[in-house]
Amino acid sequence: MLPLFVLQMMTVHSDYVVSMHIFKALWGICTNTTNKIDKNGASKFKVWTPSLLDIVAVFMNLGAPFHALFPLSHLQPDFTEQDIISRQHSNENHLEDHLVTPQREPIFTSLPEYNITNVVKFLLLCTSMYPEVYSDKELVLLISLGGRISLEQDMTPNKDFQCLLNNLLSNIREWNVQMFELCTILSNLSEHHHNLSYLVQLIPDGSTRGRQLRRHLSLVIISKLLNKEGICMPKDPDMKIAQLGQFMYQMKPSSLLKTLEANVQSEQQAPQKEQTMPTEPDQQVIPQIGWLYLSLGI
């Protein structure tokens, strides 16, 4: 299929100018088809939108291992890595140099950010014109995928990426169900407090759903950082200050420091097979929790 091939070529091409020309061609194919449908009302025209499998195949072509894109065992797409490889091998028009192959190196070792940006812009177009094209599960997977890639690339959230996330959130049908699922998923994409705060910052706050997700995710992450034995998952979509009651005392700087020191002592006392360097409490957790508390907006 021509649009899929164009999308793949756009994302793997190493020359910025050529990649942008390919992107404009892909954009033109989709918008021209849309204009024909609007003008003629002809059902024979159909706008191509990439499936979730197509999108994942694109990132695998860029060097991302399948397991790195979907690290959570309970959140997996309805296809496997082998499905993608088999489909690519069966495509006679696919260039051998661009075949998907399993990777063992770190994800996106030398990927120009404009390659990802072009994919984001095209998905923004698709989700704007056809908000119903992806199911709720696929939308959640795409949001998780966006968070995972952003963490690996250490990308600065730009306008296009924020708009795409806003579209994905807006297109979810059963929001009250999927919002809590997103909190669980995003809070498990990393264990480091900097990364967790970064994921909160990724979420756009220009819409009601975005602000709601930011508040709930912040509370989940605060509970994760303060209480390693269990995570507090709010059950009410409309968060109330009473839900913070159990954390108010723990969020005092003096209490935070005591908690961190206790965690370090517990880790040092645990039996270890290998000698490791002494662990110091990461006091940067304190301002991170403070920022997360402010993002609750309560």
Side-chain angles (χ1 to χ4, degrees):
M1 187 180 294
L2 179 60
L4 175 58
F5 177 75
V6 174
L7 176 65
Q8 292 172 333
M9 288 301 299
M10 175 190 74
T11 53
V12 298
H13 208 288
S14 58
D15 186 279
Y16 172 78
V17 176
V18 175
S19 180
M20 290 305 299
H21 281 304
I22 298 175
F23 169 72
K24 291 178 181 179
L26 180 62
W27 186 283
I29 291 173
C30 293
T31 54
N32 288 339
T33 305
T34 302
N35 291 335
K36 289 180 180 179
I37 294 175
D38 292 340
K39 184 177 180 180
N40 303 320
S43 59
K44 65 178 180 179
F45 294 108
K46 183 179 180 181
V47 178
W48 177 82
T49 55
S51 65
L52 180 62
L53 188 149
D54 295 330
I55 298 168
V56 174
V58 162
F59 286 112
M60 288 180 64
N61 279 332
L62 293 173
F66 185 87
H67 65 83
L69 295 175
F70 302 106
L72 305 179
S73 59
H74 67 281
L75 184 70
Q76 296 292 315
D78 296 331
F79 51 85
T80 65
E81 178 180 13
Q82 190 57 46
D83 293 332
I84 297 177
I85 295 174
S86 298
R87 193 188 71 161
Q88 295 285 58
H89 284 176
S90 65
N91 188 347
E92 296 179 353
N93 295 323
H94 197 73
L95 296 177
E96 184 176 355
D97 290 342
H98 297 148
L99 287 174
V100 173
T101 55
Q103 301 288 323
R104 294 185 180 275
E105 298 179 356
I107 179 173
F108 303 150
T109 52
S110 59
L111 176 65
E113 190 168 316
Y114 65 81
N115 290 80
I116 295 180
T117 300
N118 286 341
V119 176
V120 168
K121 288 181 178 179
F122 182 66
L123 289 178
L124 175 59
L125 173 67
C126 295
T127 54
S128 297
M129 293 193 305
Y130 299 96
E132 74 288 347
V133 70
Y134 300 112
S135 67
D136 277 6
K137 180 181 178 179
E138 290 173 329
L139 291 168
V140 169
L141 283 164
L142 285 172
I143 294 170
S144 172
L145 184 63
R148 183 75 180 95
I149 292 170
S150 297
L151 285 177
E152 285 291 340
Q153 284 293 98
D154 195 21
M155 294 173 59
T156 302
N158 56 41
K159 183 178 180 181
D160 291 321
F161 190 78
Q162 295 268 307
C163 289
L164 174 59
L165 284 179
N166 188 64
N167 277 4
L168 297 177
L169 294 175
S170 299
N171 295 348
I172 292 176
R173 298 158 184 83
E174 296 183 359
W175 172 246
N176 286 343
V177 175
Q178 300 301 335
M179 182 187 66
F180 299 118
E181 180 71 10
L182 281 170
C183 288
T184 302
I185 292 165
L186 294 175
S187 63
N188 281 300
L189 287 182
S190 177
E191 295 299 322
H192 197 278
H193 56 87
H194 283 300
N195 291 341
L196 293 171
S197 296
Y198 174 78
L199 288 171
V200 175
Q201 295 176 54
L202 278 180
I203 301 171
D205 59 358
S207 66
T208 300
R209 288 187 173 186
R211 290 190 295 271
Q212 198 174 33
L213 180 58
R214 280 177 72 116
R215 290 197 301 269
H216 284 74
L217 180 59
S218 295
L219 179 59
V220 171
I221 292 174
I222 287 174
S223 72
K224 179 176 182 175
L225 295 175
L226 293 178
N227 182 16
K228 293 189 175 182
E229 295 181 357
I231 295 178
C232 171
M233 178 60 66
K235 301 185 182 301
D236 186 355
D238 298 319
M239 184 182 297
K240 298 177 176 59
I241 195 169
Q243 293 177 283
L244 289 175
Q246 59 181 310
F247 302 116
M248 294 300 290
Y249 176 78
Q250 289 178 280
M251 283 191 287
K252 292 173 58 179
S254 58
S255 298
L256 282 172
L257 187 56
K258 289 180 180 179
T259 300
L260 294 174
E261 291 174 344
N263 289 338
V264 169
Q265 291 178 0
S266 176
E267 292 174 0
Q268 290 176 338
Q269 292 173 0
Q272 296 180 348
K273 294 183 179 180
E274 298 180 0
Q275 185 69 25
T276 58
M277 295 295 292
T279 307
E280 295 293 334
D282 189 350
Q283 297 188 24
Q284 292 184 1
V285 173
I286 297 177
Q288 294 292 340
I289 291 179
W291 181 87
L292 289 168
Y293 174 75
L294 293 176
S295 69
L296 291 171
I298 297 180

